Amino acid sequence: MISIELLLASAIGLLVASGVYLLLRARTFPVVLGLAMIGYAVNLFLFATGRVNVNSPAILTETTSVTDPLPQALVLTAIVIGFATTAFVVQLALRSRYESGTDHVDSKEIAELANDPSEDKVS
């Protein structure tokens, strides 16, 4: 049987690997998705620092098994900040596409596209 720690560590590793792969793409939408996936991996990591205890209260009681509420509060705050940051990055990507006519992240490809008169710019 697979333990919850191994499952959680595998999920965090998969999210980070997928996020890094998407960050290395040369288009804006995969970069935004990659940043979001890495943000989700960090949220899971913060949540895992509080030790995953099933059916444990988040406040001190007479029981010996207590869940730490601080990582839960940090993850909740990080979700809100991550959503706002993602919305801001999407707006930057849309403005960049509007200004440059392409969704390439690499400035070299943008310069080549601007200098090549045979290429049609995306409108």
Side-chain angles (χ1 to χ4, degrees), residues 15-57:
L15 282 172
V16 168
S18 300
V20 168
Y21 173 76
L22 288 172
L23 279 177
L24 295 176
R25 307 283 298 173
R27 304 282 185 174
T28 54
F29 186 66
V31 168
V32 172
L33 283 179
L35 285 172
M37 290 183 110
I38 289 177
Y40 296 147
V42 170
N43 288 343
L44 279 177
F45 177 73
L46 285 175
F47 189 70
T49 60
R51 295 190 183 125
V52 179
N53 292 331
V54 180
N55 295 328
S56 296

Side-chain angles (χ1 to χ4, degrees), residues 94-101 121:
L94 288 173
R95 181 63 180 205
S96 173
R97 180 169 168 78
Y98 175 74
E99 292 289 327
S100 67
K121 286 189 174 183

Side-chain angles (χ1 to χ4, degrees), residues 36-117:
M37 290 183 110
I38 289 177
Y40 296 147
V42 170
N43 288 343
L44 279 177
F45 177 73
L46 285 175
F47 189 70
T49 60
R51 295 190 183 125
V52 179
N53 292 331
V54 180
N55 295 328
S56 296
I59 56 173
L60 294 176
T61 60
E62 292 81 26
T63 61
T64 58
S65 175
V66 178
T67 301
D68 188 12
L70 183 62
Q72 296 173 14
L74 287 173
V75 168
L76 184 61
T77 304
I79 288 170
V80 173
I81 293 172
F83 180 74
T85 305
T86 302
F88 180 69
V89 170
V90 166
Q91 286 299 316
L92 283 177
L94 288 173
R95 181 63 180 205
S96 173
R97 180 169 168 78
Y98 175 74
E99 292 289 327
S100 67
T102 183
D103 65 343
H104 286 278
V105 176
D106 191 10
S107 61
K108 180 180 175 184
E109 292 176 0
I110 292 173
E112 289 174 1
L113 185 63
N115 292 334
D116 189 10

